[in-house]
């Protein structure tokens, strides 16, 4: 076999998996169906400092902005500032970042084939055969292990019977002229009329431009139009929308991300935080484990599911509890009325609580803050917040 590990999809998860497979000694191929890496891309590019570190890229020209915090607007338009007082997140240009990550995979030793779309995967003794169309011609690519990093609609997962993500919501966004309240802060908007069960955002990119978007279970276009034309804060500032993008965002994971000769990672597996709906941090972390386990198993000559399950055990060990917390939070948040949300924001508007959020807030691991919060539950305002959550949950 020419390749030990073939990775399908050159997004952040695929490039990182390919890098780690190559670093661990496997002959590695990274396949991308588009002729250009990083395009088209559906992403705001808002990632934490920790997520960028996980991507293993030096700070470069793909960073648009450094962000310190957020203004969170309740449905009644009362807002609270959450100020991290140092760079907490970055706004990145995914098109450039994805290319840098693919380059890092090639530097580690992986080959890259562009304009190659995988149609299906067949299991064969000791490995798999990928059926693909490359440069317009049908081709077969034998490998010991395939890593499916082919995004939320993953053909690889379906092709080998690993099924579907339990729920997929839609993310929609425009880039528009919009003077941010502060260039170092993102703006978050809550309220059922504009964004039922989710939140909307305005994320500064450069100059007086922002990426403005939201998530929705249906009618995403309708809600975005409404936000841009009617919202008290947004409609006054948003002008000249360009670059409309839209994409599926997984909520929940595949039941299993492993079968004989196959691992699934990134959006394809559902490696997305169900609180902020970002997938880059978890996807790249899990991709490192996938690349390493795939390489080791391929080189040992045992690619059966029992051997590859090390990957599933390790990523669930790292993220299982956080995912469970996120799904529970999502359920409670989804049930909150506008009055509940107004009450919650009012309860958080307290210097000590905001300080605690500054100290413990982590968009990649929100459960850390929740634990701190519960520890303070004797304080009257926190108590109000906890009671509100309990009422909504019950
Ligand atoms: C509107 C919107 C905003 C978002 N904003 C953020 C954000 O601010 N921060 C954040 O962390 N996340 C954000 N996300 C989520 C983030 O974009 C994804 O989690 C991330 O891109 C997942 O990376 P991935 O490598 O798993 O998959 P993808 O980036 O989807 O990459 C999959 C790759 O596989 C290729 N591919 C697919 N099928 C095949 C095939 N059959 N053969 C070959 N190649 C194939 C695709 O062309 C693609 O390049 C956002 C999503 C949306 C929709």
């Amino acid at each position: 076999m020419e390749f030990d590990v073939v990775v399908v999809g050159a997004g952040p998860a695929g490039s990182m998996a390919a890098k780690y497979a190559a670093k661990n000694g496997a002959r590695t191929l990274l396949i991308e169906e588009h002729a250009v890496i990083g395009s088209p891309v559906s992403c705001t590019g808002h990632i934490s400092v920790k997520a960028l570190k996980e991507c293993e890229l030096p700070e470069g020209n793909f960073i648009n902005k450094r962000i310190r915090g957020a203004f969170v607007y309740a449905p009644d338009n009362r807002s609270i500032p959450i100020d991290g007082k140092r760079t907490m997140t970055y706004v990145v240009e995914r098109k450039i970042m994805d290319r840098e990550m693919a380059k890092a995979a090639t530097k580690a030793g992986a080959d890259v084939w562009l304009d190659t779309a995988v149609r299906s995967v067949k299991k064969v003794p000791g490995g798999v055969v990928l059926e693909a169309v490359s440069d317009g011609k049908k081709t077969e690519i034998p490998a010991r292990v395939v890593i499916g990093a082919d995004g939320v609609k993953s053909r690889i997962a379906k092709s080998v019977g690993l099924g579907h993500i339990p729920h997929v919501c839609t993310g929609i966004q425009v880039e528009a002229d919009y003077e941010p309240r502060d260039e170092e802060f993102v703006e978050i908007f809550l309220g059922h009329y504009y964004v039922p069960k989710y939140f909307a955002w305005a994320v500064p990119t450069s100059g007086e431009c922002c990426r403005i978007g939201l998530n929705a279970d249906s009618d995403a276009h309708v809600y975005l139009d409404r936000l841009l034309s009617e919202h008290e804060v947004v409609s006054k500032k948003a002008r000249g929308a360009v670059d409309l993008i839209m994409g599926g965002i997984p909520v929940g994971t595949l039941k299993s991300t492993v079968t004989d000769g196959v691992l699934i990672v990134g959006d394809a597996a559902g490696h997305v935080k169900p609180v902020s709906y970002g997938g880059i941090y978890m996807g790249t972390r899990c991709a490192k484990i996938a690349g390493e386990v795939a390489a080791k198993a391929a080189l040992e000559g045992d690619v059966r599911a029992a051997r590859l399950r090390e990957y599933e055990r390790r990523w669930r060990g790292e993220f299982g509890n956080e995912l469970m917390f996120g799904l529970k939070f999502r359920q409670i948040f989804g049930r909150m009325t506008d009055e509940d949300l107004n009450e919650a924001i009012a309860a958080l508007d307290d210097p000590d609580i905001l300080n605690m959020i500054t100290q413990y807030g982590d968009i990649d691991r929100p459960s850390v803050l929740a634990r701190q919060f519960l520890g303070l539950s004797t304080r009257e305002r926190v108590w109000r917040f906890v009671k509100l959550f309990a009422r909504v949950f019950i």
Side-chain angles (χ1 to χ4, degrees), residues 117 119 130-141:
R119 297 286 181 232
L130 283 77
E131 293 169 342
V133 177
S134 188
D135 264 344
K137 290 185 213 97
K138 280 191 180 168
T139 180
E140 292 204 333
I141 309 163

Side-chain angles (χ1 to χ4, degrees), residues 267-322:
D267 273 21
H271 291 150
V272 169
K273 298 167 288 178
V275 174
S276 68
Y277 302 96
I280 293 172
Y281 173 68
M282 199 188 299
T284 46
R285 273 258 358 115
C286 295
K288 291 179 186 183
I289 305 172
E292 181 200 319
V293 171
K296 289 185 174 157
L299 297 175
E300 284 162 18
D302 179 3
V303 300
R304 288 171 304 168
R307 169 67 185 91
L308 296 177
R309 226 162 260 133
E310 178 191 335
Y311 161 65
E312 178 121 9
R313 269 197 305 276
R314 281 172 59 185
W315 81 252
R316 286 201 191 272
E318 204 169 316
F319 289 109
N321 288 342
E322 200 62 48

Side-chain angles (χ1 to χ4, degrees), residues 8-14 31-34 42-47 94 98 116-119 149-152 155 171-173 201 215 245-249 265-268 271-273 277-281:
V8 182
I31 292 180
E32 171 55 46
E33 67 180 343
H34 293 101
S42 297
C43 190
T44 312
H46 184 221
I47 62 173
R94 274 287 302 274
D98 284 23
T116 303
V118 175
R119 297 286 181 232
D150 50 339
V152 64
R155 231 174 226 267
I172 187 166
Q173 172 185 284
W201 61 85
N215 296 335
I245 60 163
M246 205 164 151
I249 301 182
V265 73
D267 273 21
H271 291 150
V272 169
K273 298 167 288 178
Y277 302 96
I280 293 172
Y281 173 68

Side-chain angles (χ1 to χ4, degrees), residues 80-91:
I80 52 165
I82 296 174
D83 186 353
K85 300 195 173 120
R86 58 188 189 284
T87 300
M88 302 298 285
T89 56
Y90 296 98
V91 183

Side-chain angles (χ1 to χ4, degrees), residues 168-293:
V168 177
C169 70
T170 301
I172 187 166
Q173 172 185 284
V174 287
E175 200 148 330
D177 288 344
Y178 182 102
E179 191 178 340
R181 190 162 147 187
D182 183 314
E183 279 196 43
E184 290 183 285
F185 283 68
V186 300
E187 292 166 35
I188 301 291
F189 305 100
L190 309 175
H192 280 260
Y193 182 63
Y194 298 102
V195 61
K197 296 191 189 168
Y198 294 89
F199 60 87
W201 61 85
V203 170
T205 53
S206 55
E208 292 187 349
C209 198
C210 278
R211 296 184 182 135
I212 305 163
L214 50 82
N215 296 335
D217 284 332
S218 63
D219 300 319
H221 269 286
V222 175
Y223 289 115
L224 183 63
D225 284 347
R226 194 179 275 179
L227 182 81
L228 293 170
S229 60
E230 294 180 44
H231 190 279
E232 171 110 358
V233 176
V234 181
S235 69
K236 289 202 180 104
K237 299 204 281 177
R239 291 285 171 275
V242 290
D243 275 355
L244 173 73
I245 60 163
M246 205 164 151
I249 301 182
V251 183
T253 63
L254 293 177
K255 277 210 182 90
S256 166
T257 55
V258 170
T259 180
D260 293 331
V262 183
L263 305 177
I264 308 292
V265 73
D267 273 21
H271 291 150
V272 169
K273 298 167 288 178
V275 174
S276 68
Y277 302 96
I280 293 172
Y281 173 68
M282 199 188 299
T284 46
R285 273 258 358 115
C286 295
K288 291 179 186 183
I289 305 172
E292 181 200 319
V293 171

